[in-house]
Amino acid sequence: MDNHHRRRRSVTDDDDMITNLPEDLINPILERLPVKDAVRTSVLSKRWRVISQIMIHHQGPISTFLLHIPKEIVLHSFQEVDLWMLILSRNNLRVLLFRNSNRIYQIPPSVFSCLELRVLGLRGCIFNPPLEFKGFPNLQDINLQKVIFGGNLGGTVINLPQLKNLSLHTCLNLNNFNIMAVKLQHLLVFGCPDAMLLRLLHSKHLSAVHICLGKSMQGLQVERYSLARMLSNLPKLVTFNIDGYFLKFLAAQKFPSLLPHAIIHLQLLKFQRFSFGDLDQVQGALCILRNSPNLKGLGVTHVQMGPEADLELTSNYIESLDSLDQTLFMLKTVEMISLEGSRPELLFVKLLLDHSPHLESMIIRPSATVDAEKRLNIAKDVMLFPRASSKAKMVYLDPEP
């Protein structure tokens, strides 16, 4: 081996066994790999900068680029990644999936010139486009996790005319994210308390909305709006999945008995982290049920109640005559998860059985904190409840481990 190769091997990281291979073995391997395999392999070694050369000399477009940088890799800079993004921006990129578990990475300006993008997935990044950025004209699917939105977005409307699916998971500074997506059909917002949701709920084509705040909004300076106002923007809503914290947030304005417009297309309704000891949440849930004449499926996942729970207050409300003064003619299936056997929980089950003449199945899964005797008592109580549907089957499942 000549002096050149010896000199290059002498700076090899001792812990990187792959890098210790001679260059005359590494290069032929990389040259025979498809681009995506070469990129995936290159992150194993700091020495494999040849990936940049492969991308530069690649003939034809690079339509899909997937990159994962795990936290185990120590990076001193993202210069190589920046270079790859620059190369991709000149190769008609359509799918970019970048999962960064390392230190935060600022998306370079070159990415915002990828106007052929159809799918964009980012994790662990700063999203701060240049001031002249107007949007992605062809983007259809966005999935952003742990993304921080920069100040350059303040007041700027990002035009996404073809966007159909938007998923935002534990992102920050979402008040800077203002989009125009008139074709949006599916929206998921999880753990983003500062999201300006009304900006995201303007598409008349939205059919599936999932909003889980994950924590209380109390004390946060955020936009306030009512359930009626939000649902007025969703005339084609089919699936609605929200958590108890979001219901509590909507309770800032009193829930009406009837909404201005019924939610006529809603078929599947789910409440996550729902507390039967919170009157606001109970009132909000029953308000949505009253105004969903075509609902077919209902799921409720109960959260363990704290000392602030007022079981007497919620029980009295559920037992009142106007708590559910509508018959749920279309309801077929109900799933109650993590029940503790409290009085308001059982009254809610009784209410549903009494108002669902075409119910086919009621699935009950007790909480893992409930002992065997209590689980048996829940089953006995529910079996005694009258049922409006003669076909309704009661299914009891063991607690999840």
Side-chain angles (χ1 to χ4, degrees):
M1 185 179 296
D2 59 25
N3 291 334
H4 173 68
H5 281 148
R6 285 196 194 93
R7 193 162 53 249
R8 296 188 66 180
R9 289 187 62 184
S10 66
V11 297
T12 298
D13 197 347
D14 291 336
D15 294 329
D16 191 343
M17 297 179 63
I18 298 177
T19 302
N20 286 329
L21 290 173
E23 293 288 339
D24 55 353
L25 291 180
I26 293 176
N27 290 336
I29 293 173
L30 291 181
E31 289 172 358
R32 288 168 171 77
L33 287 175
V35 172
K36 65 178 182 179
D37 293 333
V39 172
R40 185 186 305 128
T41 309
S42 70
V43 298
L44 295 175
S45 169
K46 289 186 288 186
R47 292 286 314 285
W48 287 11
R49 304 307 187 190
V50 292
I51 184 60
S52 301
Q53 294 299 318
I54 292 175
M55 293 179 68
I56 290 172
H57 295 294
H58 174 73
Q59 298 296 318
I62 303 175
S63 61
T64 301
F65 186 79
L66 289 75
L67 175 63
H68 176 213
I69 302 180
K71 62 182 179 180
E72 291 80 11
I73 291 182
V74 179
L75 289 179
H76 300 291
S77 77
F78 284 99
Q79 290 181 353
E80 291 294 324
V81 179
D82 288 343
L83 175 59
W84 298 345
M85 296 299 177
L86 178 61
I87 297 170
L88 293 169
S89 69
R90 300 173 179 175
N91 282 274
N92 298 316
L93 184 66
R94 295 197 171 199
V95 177
L96 173 59
L97 300 177
F98 178 31
R99 181 177 177 85
N100 176 32
S101 301
N102 214 281
R103 60 192 182 90
I104 198 78
Y105 171 67
Q106 177 147 343
I107 300 299
S110 58
V111 171
F112 299 99
S113 65
C114 297
L115 301 185
E116 294 299 319
L117 269 180
R118 266 60 170 180
V119 178
L120 177 63
L122 301 175
R123 185 186 190 277
C125 300
I126 297 175
F127 190 95
N128 195 29
L131 294 174
E132 63 272 15
F133 177 70
K134 301 301 180 184
F136 292 108
N138 297 296
L139 196 57
Q140 299 176 8
D141 195 310
I142 298 178
N143 187 323
L144 305 180
Q145 299 181 33
K146 296 186 177 180
V147 168
I148 301 174
F149 293 93
N152 284 355
L153 289 165
T156 301
V157 177
I158 299 176
N159 190 28
L160 303 169
Q162 302 301 323
L163 187 67
K164 295 180 180 179
N165 305 301
L166 174 60
S167 177
L168 303 168
H169 195 293
T170 54
C171 296
L172 296 178
N173 299 341
L174 260 173
N175 55 312
N176 289 333
F177 190 53
N178 189 6
I179 66 171
M180 178 59 66
V182 295
K183 293 185 179 180
L184 189 63
Q185 298 177 9
H186 302 94
L187 172 67
L188 184 149
V189 181
F190 182 89
C192 305
D194 61 347
M196 305 293 281
L197 288 173
L198 287 185
R199 292 181 179 178
L200 305 176
L201 295 171
H202 59 262
S203 171
K204 302 301 182 181
H205 297 280
L206 268 169
S207 61
V209 174
H210 307 260
I211 302 174
C212 295
L213 300 179
K215 64 179 181 180
S216 174
M217 300 283 284
Q218 188 173 2
L220 294 179
Q221 298 298 317
V222 294
E223 178 185 27
R224 296 282 174 177
Y225 45 85
S226 65
L227 176 66
R229 183 183 176 192
M230 184 187 72
L231 291 175
S232 67
N233 290 348
L234 305 172
K236 296 183 179 180
L237 186 63
V238 176
T239 300
F240 197 31
N241 185 345
I242 58 178
D243 69 355
Y245 293 112
F246 187 59
L247 269 178
K248 187 77 173 176
F249 169 75
L250 293 173
Q253 299 189 33
K254 187 178 179 181
F255 294 112
S257 176
L258 292 177
L259 297 171
H261 304 283
I263 321 170
I264 60 174
H265 295 290
L266 186 62
Q267 296 186 20
L268 178 60
L269 176 63
K270 289 188 177 183
F271 299 113
Q272 307 286 345
R273 298 183 62 84
F274 184 86
S275 174
F276 281 97
D278 188 301
L279 183 61
D280 290 332
Q281 296 185 37
V282 171
Q283 288 179 335
L286 289 172
C287 174
I288 298 175
L289 284 173
R290 280 195 301 270
N291 290 274
S292 304
N294 297 306
L295 188 69
K296 295 181 179 180
L298 172 66
V300 181
T301 300
H302 185 237
V303 66
Q304 188 171 5
M305 293 179 285
E308 72 282 356
D310 193 331
L311 303 186
E312 182 178 358
L313 186 63
T314 55
S315 296
N316 291 340
Y317 180 77
I318 295 173
E319 285 187 302
S320 64
L321 295 177
D322 58 350
S323 66
L324 185 58
D325 52 2
Q326 302 288 327
T327 301
L328 305 175
F329 287 104
M330 303 300 292
L331 189 62
K332 304 290 186 183
T333 61
V334 174
E335 189 171 9
M336 307 289 292
I337 305 298
S338 295
L339 263 63
E340 298 177 333
S342 66
R343 186 163 178 257
E345 291 173 293
L346 295 177
L347 289 173
F348 187 81
V349 171
K350 181 181 179 182
L351 191 68
L352 293 176
L353 290 172
D354 192 45
H355 286 74
S356 308
H358 300 292
L359 187 69
E360 296 177 357
S361 67
M362 167 81 74
I363 299 173
I364 294 179
R365 186 189 293 273
S367 168
T369 61
V370 175
D371 59 34
E373 182 179 359
K374 184 67 173 179
R375 295 201 297 270
L376 180 60
N377 289 335
I378 293 174
K380 288 180 178 179
D381 289 338
V382 172
M383 288 299 296
L384 295 176
F385 292 154
R387 308 175 199 178
S389 172
S390 59
K391 301 184 298 181
K393 295 181 180 179
M394 306 302 297
V395 180
Y396 302 92
L397 302 178
D398 291 332
E400 292 183 349

